């Protein structure tokens, strides 16, 4: 073991795949360039080669039942037995399957399935493809050599899929009965082609077969690493089951970007978007949804991804917000009902009260509220809104203004919605969490003279009703609720749109937005756009590989794993920079996770800031600056401190 470890250190010290320029310089010196195939030019989107057998076993048990459990173990044993019985140095896949004790029809299914899985999993080794293309461009003679039980014609098919062509010959051990690992395959290559070993460079990933043995024969050899982690947050994911294994391996094999935020989007947000869109599409077909409405702002990114996946479907991106749907209703309700129905917070400032009621907080309003003993920062609990006599008197004073504005906004809203031509069965799509826009729709419909059925589809939803569906969590499956809540503000920010929140509708149906957000977020929005571009790139990449993506069960608990690592176990660089991003709500903004100096000297300030922090677990980490189990800590203190 010590000798093997030393050999590996020496071999890897020679060169690494990341140092492509060094390989290029070496290639210039030799006339013949020989490449290993598997884990050198092409890779599988699984962590270990034997994972192929796990996938085959899963497919076999789906078709034939539990009688096929244990196929992976039997397949490994069959290969071992075939090698013992074989008179040549290597065996073929057909000989391996002769060792399996299954009925012929089942054996045929397993054989064909293994080939199908191999084809679905294969992907080019991006760095080594560049090296291969460089060797071609120099006019080098390129030879491929593989110790492999698969047939040469099938390996050629895999190479074509991955874009490799232009090589002179492909030597496969199962076809000629000679192995690289014994040196005999290299000897055959040298003899058959009259190559001088001094003019030949071999590149591969196996310490013995691709590095040590060629050197003994006088062939210059380079050993590359079989495995390298290229992800920011995916490491460890491959141990979470075969579906996570495949997802991680795909990300690790395909993510290539010089932009940090693009990579975050590709590996952490992209899988969630893809899984959600598949889930949404399946529900749309099952329930007979005729049209999907993607709600602004958080629905814009989902809309873009769904449109790429299902371009022929009837979908619309609509400009809606909780404020734009609730304010038009206020003239239809008395003050007590408005407070009881539309207020979800436990407490709110006077400025936010005015904003929520649809009025502009100007000097005139300020003078009025001051007459009743309030200022813009006066804080009121929800119960106080009804019981506080001064507040009730103030609201009665403002009610005519509230009603007048509400009537005008109702006219604009009705015109905007009529243009959407909503009939039949409609699906609402949004990020979540309390479904308040959908709830507002439910209250609006009796006054709009519109008849259509609707179902809401959300990343996560807290409301339990038959027409509210949650992907990551719901009241009936709430395992992911608390983990997602620990970085809820961060997650929402990743879905930021290229426009502000919808404020109201003009009487002609035009849309008025909150403009102030642009000034506050224009710098960080550049990074958010890069992040979203990475997520869309993932969706495009995985959707182009139907045979591979169909192997993965796109369960929410699988696709959410990289995001949990990003949101909970955030790297220091991202913690400080992204924690300072602004988070917008009700014409105000706060930072995602940035403790103030006062929070370090006042528990009252700390409690208030933590309660209001959109990214709570990051706030804790930036406040304490110690290596602690922060998610456990978050769960312990959340109920005592948080007011949400």
């Amino acid at each position: 073991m010590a000798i093997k470890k030393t050999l590996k250190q020496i071999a890897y010290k020679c060169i690494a795949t990341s140092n492509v320029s060094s390989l290029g310089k070496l290639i210039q010196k030799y006339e013949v360039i020989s490449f290993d195939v598997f884990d050198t030019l092409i890779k599988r989107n699984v962590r270990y080669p034997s994972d192929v057998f796990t996938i085959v076993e899963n497919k076999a048990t789906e078709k034939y039942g539990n009688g096929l459990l244990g196929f992976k173990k039997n397949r490994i044993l069959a290969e071992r037995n075939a090698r013992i019985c074989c008179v040549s140095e290597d065996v073929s896949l057909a000989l391996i399957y002769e060792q399996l004790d299954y009925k012929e029809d089942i054996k045929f299914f397993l054989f064909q399935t293994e080939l199908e899985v191999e084809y679905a999993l294969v992907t080019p080794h991006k760095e080594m493809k560049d090296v291969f293309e460089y060797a071609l461009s120099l006019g080098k003679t390129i030879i491929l050599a593989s110790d492999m039980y698969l047939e040469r014609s099938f390996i050629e098919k895999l190479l074509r899929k991955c874009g490799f062509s232009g090589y002179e010959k492909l030597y496969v051990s199962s076809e000629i009965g000679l192995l690289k690992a014994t040196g005999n395959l290299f000897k055959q290559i040298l003899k058959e082609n009259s190559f001088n070993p001094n003019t030949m460079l071999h590149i591969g990933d196996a310490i013995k077969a691709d590095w040590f043995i060629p050197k003994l024969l006088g062939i210059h050899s380079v050993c590359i690493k079989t495995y390298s982690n290229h992800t920011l947050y995916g490491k460890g994911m491959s141990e979470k089951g075969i579906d996570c294994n495949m997802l991680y391996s795909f990300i690790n094999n395909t993510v290539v970007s010089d932009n940090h935020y693009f990579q975050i989007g590709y590996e952490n947000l992209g899988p969630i978007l893809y899984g959600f869109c598949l889930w949404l599409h399946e529900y749309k077909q099952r329930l007979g949804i005729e049209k999907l409405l993607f709600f602004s702002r958080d629905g814009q990114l989902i809309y873009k991804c769904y449109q790429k996946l299902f371009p022929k479907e009837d979908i619309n991106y609509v400009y809606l917000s909780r404020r734009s749907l609730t304010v038009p209703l206020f003239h239809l309700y008395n003050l007590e009902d408005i407070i009881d129905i539309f207020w979800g917070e436990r407490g709110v400032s006077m400025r936010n009260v005015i904003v929520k009621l649809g009025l502009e907080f100007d000097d005139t309003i300020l003078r009025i509220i001051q007459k009743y003993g309030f200022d813009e920062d006066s804080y009121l609990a929800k119960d106080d809104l009804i019981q506080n006599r001064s507040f009730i008197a103030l609201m009665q004073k403002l009610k005519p203004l509230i009603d007048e504005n509400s009537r005008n906004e109702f006219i604009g809203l009705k015109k905007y919605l009529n243009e959407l031509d909503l009939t039949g069965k409609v699906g609402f799509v949004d990020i979540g969490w309390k479904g308040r826009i959908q709830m507002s729709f439910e209250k609006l419909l009796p006054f709009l003279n519109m008849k259509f059925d609707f179902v809401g589809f959300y990343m996560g939803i807290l409301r339990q009703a038959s027409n509210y569906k949650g992907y990551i969590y719901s009241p009936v499956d709430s395992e992911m609720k608390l983990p997602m809540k620990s970085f809820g503000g961060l997650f929402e920010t990743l879905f930021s749109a290229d426009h502000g929140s919808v404020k109201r509708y003009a009487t002609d149906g035009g849309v008025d937005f909150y403009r102030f957000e642009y000034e506050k977020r224009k710098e960080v929005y550049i990074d958010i756009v890069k992040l979203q571009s990475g997520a869309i790139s993932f969706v495009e990449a995985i959707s182009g590989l139907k045979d591979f993506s169909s192997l993965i069960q796109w369960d929410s608990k699988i696709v959410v794993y990289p995001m949990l690592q990003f949101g909970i176990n955030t790297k220091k660089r991202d913690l400080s920079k992204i924690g300072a991003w602004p988070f917008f709500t009700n014409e105000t903004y706060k930072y995602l996770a940035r403790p103030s100096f006062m929070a370090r000297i006042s528990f009252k300030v700390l409690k208030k800031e933590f309660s209001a922090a959109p990214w709570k677990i990051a706030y804790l980490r930036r406040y304490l600056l110690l290596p602690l189990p922060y998610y456990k800590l978050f769960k312990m203190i959340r109920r005592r401190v948080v007011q949400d």
Side-chain angles (χ1 to χ4, degrees):
M1 183 63 73
I3 295 174
K4 184 176 180 180
K5 186 176 181 181
T6 303
L7 279 174
K8 188 177 289 189
Q9 290 171 343
I10 295 171
Y12 286 165
K13 204 170 183 180
C14 295
I15 201 158
T17 55
S18 58
N19 196 351
V20 174
S21 60
S22 298
L23 277 173
K25 291 175 183 177
L26 270 176
I27 285 171
Q28 294 172 14
K29 299 178 182 179
Y30 297 91
E31 296 175 9
V32 180
I33 312 299
S34 172
F35 290 94
D36 170 48
V37 178
F38 287 87
D39 290 324
T40 299
L41 293 183
I42 61 178
K43 300 176 76 70
R44 299 178 179 96
N45 285 320
V46 283
R47 181 68 177 83
Y48 304 104
S50 61
D51 293 329
V52 172
F53 313 146
T54 301
I55 300 169
V56 175
E57 180 176 320
N58 290 343
K59 284 182 162 289
T61 54
E62 286 178 15
K63 183 176 177 65
Y64 293 104
N66 292 340
L68 269 295
L69 289 174
F71 166 77
K72 177 179 181 178
K73 181 180 178 181
N74 294 336
R75 169 63 178 79
I76 293 170
L77 184 60
E79 183 173 343
R80 188 181 307 159
N81 292 337
R83 294 187 185 283
I84 294 172
C85 299
C86 187
V87 294
S88 61
E89 290 186 0
D90 205 4
V91 298
S92 66
L93 187 61
L95 288 174
I96 293 171
Y97 268 79
E98 287 181 8
Q99 300 294 320
L100 287 168
D101 186 20
Y102 296 112
K103 292 180 180 179
E104 287 303 314
D105 60 329
I106 295 177
K107 194 183 296 188
F108 178 78
F109 171 82
L110 293 167
F111 184 92
Q112 291 300 125
T113 302
E114 182 169 337
L115 293 179
E116 290 169 5
V117 171
E118 287 278 12
Y119 186 81
L121 291 175
V122 76
T123 189
H125 190 314
K126 287 185 175 293
E127 294 95 333
M128 292 307 301
K129 195 167 191 297
D130 291 339
V131 174
F132 178 90
E133 296 293 342
Y134 180 67
L136 271 181
S137 71
L138 295 179
K140 303 296 183 180
T141 298
I142 297 180
I143 301 295
L144 307 187
S146 180
D147 283 355
M148 190 52 168
Y149 46 76
L150 295 171
E151 290 184 359
R152 180 163 58 89
S153 61
F154 184 74
I155 296 176
E156 288 173 338
K157 183 180 177 182
L158 300 181
L159 288 165
R160 284 195 299 272
K161 178 186 177 183
C162 295
F164 289 97
S165 61
Y167 52 88
E168 294 287 329
K169 293 181 181 179
L170 167 62
Y171 290 86
V172 181
S173 60
S174 61
E175 180 181 61
I176 62 176
L178 302 174
L179 286 165
K180 288 184 299 176
T182 63
N184 291 325
L185 181 53
F186 286 113
K187 291 176 183 177
Q188 179 69 17
I189 293 171
L190 293 172
K191 179 181 178 181
E192 184 177 308
N193 298 280
S194 300
F195 291 148
N196 184 332
N198 294 326
T199 65
M200 185 173 174
L201 169 67
H202 180 71
I203 303 171
D205 71 298
I207 301 296
K208 179 182 176 184
D210 292 315
W211 183 73
F212 186 67
I213 294 298
K215 284 193 179 301
L216 292 180
L217 298 173
I219 300 170
H220 190 87
S221 58
V222 170
C223 190
I224 66 169
K225 288 185 177 180
T226 301
Y227 165 76
S228 296
N229 174 53
H230 301 297
T231 70
L232 297 171
Y233 291 96
K235 195 173 182 180
M237 189 176 171
S238 62
E239 308 303 324
K240 301 294 181 180
I242 191 62
D243 294 293
C244 276
N245 180 331
M246 286 188 283
L247 177 57
Y248 163 75
S249 298
F250 174 80
I251 294 170
N252 194 46
N253 289 333
T254 58
V255 61
V256 177
S257 175
D258 294 331
N259 186 275
H260 183 73
Y261 294 105
F262 182 97
Q263 183 167 350
I264 288 175
Y266 188 94
E267 68 178 70
N268 301 313
L269 184 57
I272 289 180
L273 284 169
Y274 184 71
F276 179 80
C277 287
L278 293 185
W279 172 83
L280 175 60
H281 179 68
E282 193 277 331
Y283 255 118
K284 180 178 182 293
Q285 292 183 312
R286 189 199 314 171
L287 300 180
I289 303 292
E290 298 169 45
K291 178 181 286 189
L292 290 175
L293 301 184
F294 293 77
F295 292 168
S296 66
R297 296 168 300 169
D298 299 335
Q300 187 183 66
L301 179 60
I302 307 172
Y303 170 78
K304 290 178 180 179
C305 291
Y306 193 91
Q307 192 175 46
K308 286 183 178 295
L309 292 172
F310 309 104
K312 296 181 180 180
E313 293 194 3
D314 188 3
I315 64 174
N316 290 92
Y317 179 66
V318 293
Y319 295 103
L320 298 172
S321 69
R322 187 177 13 148
R323 185 247 178 255
S324 72
L325 293 180
T326 54
V327 171
L329 285 169
F330 288 163
H331 72 284
L332 302 168
Y333 289 89
N334 59 41
L335 181 61
E336 289 77 9
D337 288 338
I338 290 173
I339 293 172
D340 183 56
I341 296 172
F342 298 103
W343 250 265
E345 292 87 351
R346 296 177 183 175
V348 66
S349 70
M350 180 57 71
R351 170 179 278 275
N352 280 338
V353 168
I354 299 301
V355 170
K356 282 176 172 293
L357 291 172
L359 303 179
E360 300 294 331
F361 195 95
D362 53 21
D363 290 340
T364 300
I365 293 294
L366 180 60
R367 285 193 293 271
I368 293 174
I369 68 171
Q370 287 175 339
K371 287 181 181 179
Y372 290 85
F374 301 102
D375 59 38
E376 64 178 306
D377 295 321
S378 296
Y379 185 82
L380 293 162
K382 181 176 179 179
D383 293 341
D384 292 340
L385 297 180
I386 297 176
Q387 298 173 5
N388 188 309
R389 293 183 179 180
S390 296
F391 177 79
I392 295 298
L394 171 62
M395 290 300 103
Q396 289 172 344
K397 172 73 175 177
L398 295 176
K399 192 68 165 69
L401 296 176
I402 295 169
D403 288 349
E404 180 184 3
N405 177 71
S406 176
R407 289 189 188 94
N408 290 332
E409 291 197 28
F410 183 84
I411 294 170
L413 169 63
K414 190 171 182 179
K415 184 173 180 58
Y416 179 77
L417 293 178
N418 283 336
E419 291 176 355
L420 295 176
D421 189 26
L422 300 178
T423 57
K425 204 160 190 177
V426 178
F428 295 160
V429 185
D430 201 359
I431 191 172
W433 309 106
K434 296 180 180 179
R436 285 178 177 158
I437 294 182
Q438 183 173 337
M439 291 168 62
S440 298
F441 250 112
E442 291 168 350
K443 293 179 174 62
L444 268 168
L445 279 182
F447 306 103
L448 292 174
N449 296 321
M450 301 173 71
K451 292 184 178 180
F452 63 93
D453 296 324
F454 52 87
V455 180
F457 301 97
Y458 304 95
M459 288 285 181
I461 191 67
L462 296 170
R463 192 161 187 226
Q464 187 166 358
S466 61
N467 61 338
Y468 287 76
K469 310 294 182 184
Y471 178 58
I472 298 174
Y473 67 80
S474 67
V476 295
D477 184 13
S478 59
E479 180 183 343
M480 290 296 166
K481 174 186 168 184
L482 197 57
M484 292 296 294
K485 205 168 184 64
S486 71
F487 59 93
L490 168 67
F491 191 67
E492 288 185 40
T493 301
L494 304 184
F495 288 81
S496 298
D498 57 9
H499 59 82
S501 296
V502 177
K503 189 173 185 179
R504 61 167 64 92
Y505 307 94
T507 52
D508 63 358
V511 183
D512 185 17
F513 299 96
Y514 285 111
R515 305 290 179 184
F516 82 104
E517 293 181 14
Y518 288 105
E519 294 303 314
K520 296 293 183 182
R521 74 172 183 177
K522 60 184 178 181
E523 291 184 9
V524 304
Y525 191 64
I526 296 172
D527 294 330
I528 293 173
V529 168
K530 278 289 183 185
L531 194 148
Q532 292 181 349
S533 297
I536 292 172
S537 179
F538 172 90
V539 170
E540 291 173 331
I542 196 74
S543 64
L545 300 171
K546 299 295 185 186
D547 54 349
F548 171 67
S549 64
S550 65
L551 296 178
I552 299 176
Q553 299 295 320
W554 292 93
D555 182 85
S556 61
K557 293 178 179 61
I558 293 167
V559 301
V560 81
Y561 182 85
M563 180 58 70
L564 292 177
Q565 300 310 303
F566 174 50
I568 295 175
N569 301 315
T570 318
K571 294 183 181 295
K572 188 175 181 179
R573 167 187 174 177
D574 296 327
L575 195 66
S576 58
K577 189 163 184 180
I578 299 177
W581 284 1
F583 181 81
F584 300 91
T585 178
N586 296 326
E587 287 193 326
T588 60
Y589 80 95
K590 60 190 79 169
Y591 296 106
L592 281 175
R594 196 168 83 170
S596 69
F597 171 76
M598 289 302 298
R600 299 191 178 279
I601 59 177
S602 168
F603 179 75
K604 184 177 180 180
V605 174
L606 169 62
K607 180 179 178 180
K608 184 178 180 181
E609 284 189 3
F610 178 74
S611 177
W615 187 6
K616 289 179 171 52
I617 202 162
Y619 182 94
L620 279 177
R621 290 183 61 188
R622 297 193 71 190
Y623 182 85
L624 295 174
L625 302 174
L626 295 170
L628 299 171
Y630 281 98
Y631 181 64
K632 290 183 179 179
L633 186 61
F634 162 76
K635 289 196 295 184
M636 285 172 54
I637 66 175
R638 177 179 169 273
R639 291 183 180 178
R640 298 184 180 182
V641 178
V642 180
Q643 297 180 3
D644 64 352

PDB file of all heavy atoms in Angstrom, residues 270 345 592:
ATOM      1  N   GLY A 270     -29.358  25.711 -10.477  1.00  0.00           N
ATOM      2  CA  GLY A 270     -29.793  25.031 -11.689  1.00  0.00           C
ATOM      3  C   GLY A 270     -30.557  23.742 -11.441  1.00  0.00           C
ATOM      4  O   GLY A 270     -31.641  23.534 -12.015  1.00  0.00           O
ATOM      5  N   GLU A 345     -48.124  39.991   9.251  1.00  0.00           N
ATOM      6  CA  GLU A 345     -47.022  40.176  10.191  1.00  0.00           C
ATOM      7  C   GLU A 345     -47.510  40.267  11.633  1.00  0.00           C
ATOM      8  O   GLU A 345     -48.651  40.645  11.896  1.00  0.00           O
ATOM      9  CB  GLU A 345     -46.239  41.459   9.850  1.00  0.00           C
ATOM     10  CG  GLU A 345     -45.489  41.387   8.550  1.00  0.00           C
ATOM     11  CD  GLU A 345     -46.364  41.789   7.370  1.00  0.00           C
ATOM     12  OE1 GLU A 345     -47.573  41.959   7.553  1.00  0.00           O
ATOM     13  OE2 GLU A 345     -45.824  41.931   6.268  1.00  0.00           O
ATOM     14  N   LEU A 592     -28.978  41.159   3.698  1.00  0.00           N
ATOM     15  CA  LEU A 592     -29.275  39.747   3.901  1.00  0.00           C
ATOM     16  C   LEU A 592     -28.740  39.244   5.237  1.00  0.00           C
ATOM     17  O   LEU A 592     -29.427  38.555   5.977  1.00  0.00           O
ATOM     18  CB  LEU A 592     -28.679  38.909   2.764  1.00  0.00           C
ATOM     19  CG  LEU A 592     -29.447  38.894   1.445  1.00  0.00           C
ATOM     20  CD1 LEU A 592     -28.660  38.120   0.394  1.00  0.00           C
ATOM     21  CD2 LEU A 592     -30.827  38.274   1.615  1.00  0.00           C
TER      22      LEU A 592
END
